[in-house]
Amino acid sequence: MGDVLAGFHAVWEFDADSVLIRFERGLRTPKLLQALGERRVPYEALAAVELTPGKRGTVVLRATPRPGADPLADAADGQLKEGSDPYRLVLPAERETLAEYYADELRARLGPDAGAPAERYLVAAPPPPASFKAYDAKAFFDGEAVAFRWFWTGASTAKWKAGDQRFPVAGLSGVEWRSPEVFNGHLRLLPRGTTAQ
């Protein structure tokens, strides 16, 4: 296709085998999208494309990734707010005809396996943050291990008494994340031999 479709907070650039999604920087752009910067999404990573009416004179072009195709979508597990969805492009309503054209073009490029889970990740994982703060700790990632430095003001007595912790990535089977906007938000590392709860 080689075309560009610009919306609010993002631009989609269509190539022969993928769409490059570039996110704007600015006060109104969600922090997650700013942190992502851009993402290249192969058409084979998509399950569906839809165009729906948006709020206040807009339309929304949204692609749905196949289960297992995008590590970010798997980690978010449906918990992202609408405005932070990296697969959502909001356009002025007067561009609905153009958006419908691109929706049709994307649907035509969906592969025969669009309805099936992907066997491997098809979209590159975003780079992890080097560190971040939470209510009870600061987490650090150096590429080989995740370390937690507990805050005495927020950590439970058991965590505080156990002291700072370091978990080599090779010893982990996964990560479970729950948005802090829902009850009991957390980041939980799963050592090998355990499963998500």
Side-chain angles (χ1 to χ4, degrees):
M1 288 189 261
D3 297 332
V4 174
L5 185 60
F8 300 115
H9 308 305
V11 174
W12 289 17
E13 184 178 325
F14 301 92
D15 292 324
D17 61 349
S18 62
V19 59
L20 177 64
I21 303 173
R22 296 179 197 270
F23 303 104
E24 291 179 358
R25 294 196 175 275
L27 294 175
R28 296 179 188 242
T29 304
K31 288 183 181 181
L32 172 64
L33 301 183
Q34 289 186 51
L36 290 174
E38 68 179 37
R39 304 194 81 211
R40 182 164 298 280
V41 180
Y43 299 131
E44 68 176 319
L46 300 177
V49 178
E50 63 182 3
L51 183 66
T52 58
K55 298 175 184 174
R56 296 184 218 104
T58 62
V59 292
V60 178
L61 177 62
R62 184 174 191 291
T64 303
R66 292 169 55 192
D70 181 1
L72 176 66
D74 285 357
D77 195 22
Q79 299 176 80
L80 294 178
K81 289 182 178 180
E82 235 181 33
S84 296
D85 183 348
Y87 289 95
R88 189 171 175 270
L89 182 65
V90 180
L91 302 149
E94 58 266 15
R95 300 185 75 197
E96 182 173 6
T97 302
L98 185 60
E100 185 61 56
Y101 167 78
Y102 284 108
D104 289 341
E105 288 291 315
L106 281 170
R107 285 184 201 109
R109 290 181 169 12
L110 297 180
D113 297 326
E119 294 179 10
R120 61 182 175 80
Y121 288 131
L122 301 169
V123 181
S131 67
F132 66 90
K133 284 184 180 180
Y135 174 75
D136 60 354
K138 184 167 185 179
F140 302 90
F141 177 66
D142 64 8
E144 294 180 12
V146 178
F148 291 106
R149 181 173 298 145
W150 304 112
F151 300 143
W152 68 272
T153 55
S156 68
T157 303
K159 288 179 182 177
W160 182 250
K161 284 184 178 180
D164 295 346
Q165 301 287 308
R166 181 176 163 83
F167 301 92
V169 171
L172 301 175
S173 65
V175 177
E176 180 183 278
W177 174 74
R178 291 292 167 254
S179 172
E181 295 174 4
V182 298
F183 186 67
N184 288 333
H186 63 266
L187 173 72
R188 180 174 293 139
L189 304 179
L190 303 173
R192 291 207 183 277
T194 62
T195 58
Q197 298 175 358

